[in-house]
Amino acid sequence: MTVQLFEPIDNARPSQSLFPLRHNEPDYALLKDNSSEELNRYGNRIALIDLVEEASSLNINGVSEKGFNPNRNKQHAFHFTADNCIGCHACESACSEKNDLPPHLSFRSVGYVEGGTYPNFVRMNISMACNHCDDPVCLKGCPTRAYTKHPEYGAVIQDPDICFGCGYCTWVCPYNAPQLDPVAGQVEKCNMCVDRLEVGLKPACVSACLGNALNFGVVENTPERREQIDTRIPGFPDPAITQPNIRFQQTRSMPRELTRTDSAPVKYRRDDSAGHYRPAVDKKAGTARLWNLARLSSRENPLVLFTLAAQAAIGLFAMLYLGALAGSGVVSTVVNSPVYPGAVLLCLGMVAFGLFMSTVHLGKPLRFYRGFNNIRHSPVAREGAGVAGFMAFASLHLLASLAQQVWVLDYLPGLAAFAGLFASAARVTGALALISAALGLYYMYRCYRIKARPFWNHHQTAFSFLGCCFYLGALGLAAVGGVALVLAGLAPAELLGWCGLLMGFGLALEGLGLYLHARDMSTAENEGAVSHYVQRTTFGKTYLARNALLALAAVGLLCAPLYVASAAGLGLWLLLALCAVSVAAVGRALFYVLVVPTTMPGAFFWKNKGFEQHARDIGLATMPQVGVVPDAH
């Protein structure tokens, strides 16, 4: 029998309809929350109307009408009963049909974990979509402000028209909820079916669930015929990261250890003291050490180039400006030479190249200007602002420096009257450029301190970025300084010695970070340990070769003042500098390809990186129905 809780909208007025509501909607599709708690388990208010002055319309289908759901301003949540899920994927199908999704996207997906031995082998299915968190890290991370946490239902809704396809939200979300569409160049995600909620209906995935595994309602309300509303389930990341609005029931006894059916080398081991499962390494790929140099290339190649180029430019500019300020004779010679404007121009060129590569990385490159929309929260927006500030102030510094050059004064002698003004302007703009560069570098580092990516969420990232500033910046200083000294008729040995010391220090700094990182990741109980396992096996020989080159270059360059004056010593210095560049390129490529995020388990074919790569290798990706997009970026 149908229980009519809400007065239906008159379908005779389609222009005013929020969502077509039938008069015979089945009972299981209707929302039935008659009461709710005041606070959720995170201590946040469930009633969200206090966050706004008055209830507003969600403008569904361009209509300003408000829904008649009496709980529309309370936080809602999905409830998943793992005991009931049969893995039929009806929820996926209903979601895809309602949102008209292409085959390679799915806002909701079903993955599996399994364990035990015959005849007590157990598989648990997990259906997961966006959890519309109390602390949505996607919203804070998005540089374009494409995300909004609405007081209506607590829905976190993303606008793909605002998105420019950087994919940062897909990095920070622990649940793989935002979906980057490489074809459309934008991110899309579950919108909680707010159009259905407005007329008292549960989301499409819930209504389609055959096994009565999915339910939906005001958060902290226990659904009918349920006894648990837990925040954890095997394979689910730590809820402390985002305070997700999903609750679970799983009463069936599970083995002590559960593995994933996808290719991720992750398994879950029960921690009896904590009462839940923790990630652990699943050595699916064995223990053999391989090179896999071809696999160092990834979609993140533009970011490899951006970070290295920006850090080299920042390091070079800082050494020139601070060296002259400190009264270094060698650096002062460079700063006072005709080569100095070229050195600043080199810094600007490297940053411009890096920004270009970063822009190419976007799904919608022509909308790059939207990257500054969320400076209040997003480290990506702050990083961009810092780097752009460096470009602006360094350009002014370049102009002020040019106005003091002798060859410029020969053409424009009238500028000599303003020499003092230009000197002051060069000092001030140089200082502002350095401050902006420091801010850009800091937020570049903060971009990778992501709880959902434990391999990056370590101070080794700071060691690596700062170390690159030293040894790549010093390499640039040796190049421009050598030219300046040769033009001045001076030997570059002293400069190369000092640059060698700076490069050796930067390499030693990165090496220290790598040591601390390996020590911590080898004992970690998270996906960082999994990344370290891949580093020591799949890329094991590449990893060891990088470490050996780093140690060799660090020791050799720290000793540079002892041998660089001779021709043979100069050749050795150049060889060690080439080793340093190789260390930077290989190390940064490894940084991106090794990271294993805290994503939900996939299925054997769907949401399985191994199958996706296999499909691309053998040509299956050309068939749209497979749901894999060919490599095109």
Side-chain angles (χ1 to χ4, degrees), residues 180-254:
L180 177 62
D181 186 349
V183 176
Q186 63 192 25
V187 171
E188 299 180 59
K189 63 176 280 294
C190 160
N191 60 12
M192 204 189 259
C193 286
V194 289
D195 50 352
R196 292 175 58 90
L197 302 184
E198 288 281 69
V199 295
L201 296 177
K202 295 176 183 177
C205 56
V206 177
S207 297
C209 180
L210 299 181
N212 192 24
L214 277 175
N215 215 316
F216 188 84
V218 176
V219 69
E220 308 301 354
N221 284 1
T222 305
E224 293 179 336
R225 298 185 296 278
R226 300 291 185 272
E227 57 190 60
Q228 293 179 349
I229 48 172
D230 291 340
T231 57
R232 286 184 182 267
I233 199 172
F236 189 73
D238 184 359
I241 299 176
T242 64
Q243 299 180 359
N245 286 302
I246 185 170
R247 300 295 182 260
F248 299 105
Q249 174 168 313
Q250 192 273 312
T251 58
R252 185 173 50 175
S253 177
M254 301 297 291

Side-chain angles (χ1 to χ4, degrees), residues 317 340-345 348 390-409 412 415 418-419 421-427 429-430 433:
F317 188 87
Y340 182 67
V344 178
L345 191 61
L348 290 170
F390 170 72
M391 289 279 289
F393 290 121
S395 299
L396 295 174
H397 178 76
L398 174 61
L399 294 176
S401 301
L402 278 172
Q404 301 175 71
Q405 292 291 314
V406 174
W407 58 275
V408 173
L409 294 175
L412 301 170
L415 294 178
F418 304 97
L421 178 62
F422 285 127
S424 298
R427 286 193 295 270
T429 53

Side-chain angles (χ1 to χ4, degrees), residues 313-338:
I314 291 170
L316 173 56
F317 188 87
M319 289 173 187
L320 288 169
Y321 184 84
L322 296 177
L325 198 64
S328 169
V330 176
V331 177
S332 296
T333 301
V334 178
V335 171
N336 295 325
S337 74

